[in-house]
């Protein structure tokens, strides 16, 4: 049966503005609860002004607590929020009343000491968090091990097949609290204990599960040979909750047959890992003539909002059951893409203009005479003749609107002057392919995002976090289902988005349908 073909707007089910979206989930039939990682407070301490800026997580599971708070014993008063926090330095509480308006605190008090925070729920303090990660130099530094030469990682590396193929992702598939490394392997691949993959031909490829703590291979399964005739195959990995509860591995194999810009042949497989065995859930070869065109990135996201993820690959969407759901008419091979209720070529999308509701979007063209040049709004049309950078959207300063990450610096778009202002520009670090850093996202602290950049001599990574104050309190983006899965895909990277609209008009974000994996050592 041929897939149903939809236009761009109908095919895109994620929100691009402060409007209600259709959903299959109802109060009588709520979406399934995903099993996600159990996170700690992620408390960070960064030099700021005359003191120290502290930032920590509000968890997605806490966001659903009953709306009761306050006790004379802890200095709190009843509020509309379910949870507050007390901040400690060297065992001494710093705040007079519990912190309720954000998950940040500026400490300008004298003396030194180890920082920690305690949640206050229903008038009772919970146990203290782990000690704060100290960004004493304004960043945390992670050394890169090198054997014979510096280990540059910020560039794109082809692992066989078509360019910009990653064939690797990291996730806790079996729910034991520790991540596995999922990777394509072939003859000669060597693991941490010296064990090697042996195969009769370089064309024989495998999916290997590697223990993230030891580097040892746990198990492997062969990759089907459907595409062997087309030459070496590359592809992309990602994670999806195909049943709405448990994470599964998604692997995409692709070859490009014919001339340099020949037709793509695409094979998807999905896999489940129970801690011992890797089991294939389904395999699907995208049929020729379907109109489906592969891009250089996949995205895994719940596009119909039934709690279960689909797989988007350019101009088409693969259902979580291994069937082709729909193909977007008129969308050719665009390399990379965002998912929202909008239409734009090579460019970016974000809420950068508070004067217009919803997302703005713009292309990379510098020719202002072209019809697609300028900044557009999903409701109000063209709102600027000039454009900001097109690389990544990032939440960095204190408001809910977006800033822009390009190379290693952060800019703020000013709609009035139609120009950008530099907010953050660290020294001593470099960007890699596509002027991108190796990673950015809400790794630590509150809901704003961190930047992971590589030093110019390629000997270390540096993690930077914002010290801008904020009056916005949102649960950590790392426990938002759509956002978290954005970290599991690579390819031609685009911005990572929440699965709800987060922008200037947002007043309260929806509660995530999540539960946490088993408790592990070192969490709180």
């Amino acid at each position: 049966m041929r897939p149903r073909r939809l236009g761009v707007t109908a095919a895109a089910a994620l929100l691009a503005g402060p409007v209600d979206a259709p959903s299959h989930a109802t109060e009588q039939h709520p979406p399934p609860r995903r099993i996600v990682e159990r996170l700690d407070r992620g408390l960070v301490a960064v030099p700021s002004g005359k003191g120290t800026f502290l930032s920590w997580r509000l968890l997605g599971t806490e966001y659903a607590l009953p709306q009761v708070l306050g006790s004379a014993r802890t200095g709190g008063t009843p509020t509309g929020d379910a949870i507050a926090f007390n901040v400690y330095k060297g065992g001494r509480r710093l705040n007079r009343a519990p912190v309720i308006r954000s998950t940040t605190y500026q400490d300008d008090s004298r003396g030194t000491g180890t920082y920690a925070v305690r949640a206050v729920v229903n008038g009772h303090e919970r146990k203290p968090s782990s000690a704060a990660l100290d960004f004493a130099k304004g960043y945390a530094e992670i050394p890169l091990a090198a054997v014979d030469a510096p280990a540059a990682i910020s560039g794109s590396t082809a692992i066989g097949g078509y360019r910009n193929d990653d064939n690797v992702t990291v996730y806790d598939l079996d729910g034991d609290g520790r991540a596995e490394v999922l990777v394509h392997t072939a003859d000669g691949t060597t693991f941490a204990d010296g064990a090697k993959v042996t195969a009769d031909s370089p064309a024989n490829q495998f999916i290997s599960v590697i223990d993230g703590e030891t580097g040892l291979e746990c198990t492997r399964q062969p990759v089907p040979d459907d595409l062997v005739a087309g030459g070496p195959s590359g592809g992309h990995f990602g994670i999806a909750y195909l049943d709405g509860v448990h994470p599964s591995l998604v692997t995409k194999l692709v070859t490009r047959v014919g001339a340099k810009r020949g037709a793509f042949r695409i094979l998807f497989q999905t896999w489940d890992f129970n801690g011992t065995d890797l089991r294939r859930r389904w395999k699907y070869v995208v049929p020729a003539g379907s109109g489906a065109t592969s891009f250089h990135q996949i995205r895994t996201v719940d596009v119909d909002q039934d709690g279960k993820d689909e797989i988007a690959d350019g101009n088409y969407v693969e259902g979580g059951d291994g069937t082709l759901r729909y193909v977007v008419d008129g969308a050719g091979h665009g390399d990379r893409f965002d998912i929202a209720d909008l239409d734009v070529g090579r460019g970016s999308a974000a809420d950068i203009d508070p004067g217009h509701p919803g997302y703005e979007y713009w292309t990379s063209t510098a020719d202002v005479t072209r019809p697609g040049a300028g900044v557009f709004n999903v409701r109000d049309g063209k709102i600027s003749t000039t454009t900001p950078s097109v690389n990544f959207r990032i939440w960095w300063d204190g408001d809910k609107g977006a800033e822009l990450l390009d190379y290693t610096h952060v800019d703020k778009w000013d709609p009035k002057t139609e120009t950008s202002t530099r907010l953050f520009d660290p020294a001593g670090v470099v960007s890699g392919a596509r002027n991108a850093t190796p990673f950015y996202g809400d790794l630590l602290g509150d809901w704003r995002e961190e930047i992971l950049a590589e030093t110019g001599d390629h000997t270390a990574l540096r993690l930077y976090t914002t010290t801008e104050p904020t009056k916005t309190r949102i649960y950590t983006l790392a426990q938002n289902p759509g956002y978290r899965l954005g970290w599991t895909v690579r390819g031609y990277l685009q911005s990572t988005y929440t699965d709800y609209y987060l922008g200037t008009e947002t007043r309260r974000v929806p509660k995530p349908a999540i539960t946490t994996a088993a408790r592990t050592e070192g969490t709180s």
Side-chain angles (χ1 to χ4, degrees):
M1 182 176 68
R2 290 181 61 83
R4 185 163 59 103
R5 301 174 69 87
L6 302 176
V8 172
T9 301
L14 292 189
L15 295 181
V19 296
D20 293 330
S23 173
H24 296 298
T26 65
E27 291 184 3
Q28 292 76 24
H29 301 283
R33 289 192 173 273
R34 297 172 183 235
I35 301 173
V36 302
E37 296 133 320
R38 183 182 293 273
L39 301 177
D40 64 14
R41 289 287 167 218
L43 177 64
V44 293
V46 192
S48 177
K50 297 181 179 180
T52 302
F53 181 79
L54 303 170
S55 177
W56 61 92
R57 294 181 179 122
L58 175 69
L59 303 177
T61 48
E62 294 170 329
Y63 195 71
L65 286 174
Q67 301 298 300
V68 179
L69 176 68
S71 166
R73 185 178 65 83
T74 57
T77 56
T79 74
D81 295 287
I83 185 171
F85 295 92
N86 288 330
V87 182
Y88 290 83
K89 179 167 69 173
R92 177 174 60 89
R93 198 175 91 181
L94 300 177
N95 53 299
R96 293 183 177 180
V99 179
I100 60 174
R101 301 303 180 193
S102 71
T103 52
T104 65
Y105 187 85
Q106 176 69 30
D107 173 34
D108 293 327
S109 65
R110 296 181 178 180
T112 61
T114 300
Y115 288 103
V117 295
R118 288 176 177 257
V120 182
V121 181
N122 293 336
H124 299 281
E125 278 194 333
R126 299 280 178 91
K127 67 178 183 179
S129 69
S130 299
L133 179 61
D134 188 3
F135 282 44
K137 297 180 180 179
Y139 54 81
E141 188 158 285
I142 307 167
L144 291 175
V147 179
D148 298 317
I153 67 165
S154 54
S156 297
T157 303
I159 310 177
Y162 199 67
R163 69 180 185 271
N164 292 95
D165 301 308
D166 44 83
N167 299 295
V168 63
T169 194
V170 179
Y171 208 81
D172 178 12
L173 287 181
D174 59 358
D176 67 352
R178 297 182 299 142
E180 289 78 44
V181 178
L182 301 313
V183 65
H184 263 156
T185 55
D187 184 60
T189 301
T190 305
F191 303 102
D193 60 352
K196 292 186 178 182
V197 175
T198 58
D200 295 333
S201 166
N204 295 340
Q205 294 182 339
F206 306 90
I207 304 290
S208 288
V209 180
I210 301 172
D211 186 289
E213 184 176 33
T214 66
L216 305 185
E217 186 184 35
C218 303
T219 187
R220 83 174 75 121
Q221 288 289 343
V223 170
D225 60 3
D226 301 64
L227 306 185
V228 169
S233 59
H236 305 291
F237 280 22
I239 301 297
Y241 284 70
L242 303 175
D243 65 358
V245 177
H246 306 94
S248 298
L249 171 65
V250 176
T251 64
K252 166 193 167 185
L253 281 178
V254 60
T255 59
R256 204 165 190 178
V257 181
K260 180 180 179 181
R261 299 189 178 276
F264 289 101
R265 296 191 64 212
I266 311 152
L267 181 152
F268 277 97
Q269 295 176 100
T270 58
W271 306 82
D272 295 330
F273 178 63
N274 62 6
T276 304
D277 300 316
L278 183 66
R279 179 181 61 84
R280 189 169 73 190
R281 178 180 283 264
W282 50 257
K283 180 184 83 169
Y284 181 77
V285 179
V286 178
S290 64
T293 300
S294 175
F295 285 18
H296 297 296
Q297 183 191 27
I298 64 171
R299 286 185 181 265
T300 56
V301 64
D302 177 14
V303 298
D304 60 7
Q305 298 186 17
D306 67 349
K308 302 176 183 179
D309 290 324
E310 286 77 39
I311 304 159
D313 180 28
N315 76 337
Y316 68 99
V317 170
E318 184 84 10
D321 58 356
T323 61
L324 188 58
R325 294 288 296 275
Y326 52 75
V327 177
V328 180
D329 279 323
H333 176 67
D335 280 7
R336 57 187 72 88
F337 60 101
D338 296 323
I339 299 178
D341 188 12
L342 47 87
D343 185 13
V344 65
R346 167 72 180 99
S348 192
D351 179 21
I352 59 171
D353 188 339
H356 299 271
Y359 280 163
E360 285 70 50
Y361 55 96
W362 59 98
T363 72
S364 60
T365 181
D367 184 353
V368 297
T369 65
R370 300 188 65 177
V375 177
F376 295 79
N377 178 265
V378 293
R379 293 185 178 181
D380 300 333
K382 192 169 185 175
I383 59 175
S384 172
T385 57
T386 60
T387 59
S389 62
V390 299
N391 230 357
F392 301 101
R393 173 223 47 78
I394 186 172
W395 284 292
W396 186 262
D397 68 6
D399 60 40
K400 295 186 288 290
E403 288 68 56
L404 302 167
L405 172 63
D406 193 22
Y407 294 89
T408 60
H409 56 253
V410 177
D411 289 342
K412 181 80 168 181
W413 176 252
D414 185 343
K416 294 181 180 179
T417 62
E418 298 186 7
T419 60
S420 295
T421 301
R422 187 66 40 87
L423 299 182
F424 179 72
D425 193 4
V429 291
V430 296
S431 58
R434 278 197 62 227
N435 305 331
T437 60
F439 188 85
Y440 88 98
D442 180 17
L443 290 171
L444 295 165
D446 66 13
W447 58 276
R448 272 92 56 85
E449 295 171 296
E450 283 69 51
I451 300 169
L452 190 67
E454 190 174 2
T455 57
D457 60 6
H458 309 298
T459 61
L461 296 175
R462 290 179 182 172
L463 183 64
Y464 297 90
T465 189
T466 182
T467 57
E468 292 287 333
T470 182
K471 294 181 180 180
T472 297
R473 192 174 89 154
I474 297 173
Y475 74 86
T476 175
L477 305 188
Q479 285 188 329
N480 175 255
Y483 184 92
R484 177 64 181 88
L485 295 185
W487 291 355
T488 70
V489 298
R490 298 291 296 175
Y492 282 5
L493 291 178
Q494 287 286 87
S495 300
T496 305
Y497 295 90
T498 53
D499 56 22
Y500 59 87
Y501 172 72
L502 177 53
T504 304
E505 305 84 12
T506 302
R507 294 295 174 262
R508 186 171 181 85
V509 305
K511 298 175 182 178
I514 60 173
T515 185
T516 53
R519 180 177 294 275
T520 56
E521 184 178 351
T523 61
S524 62

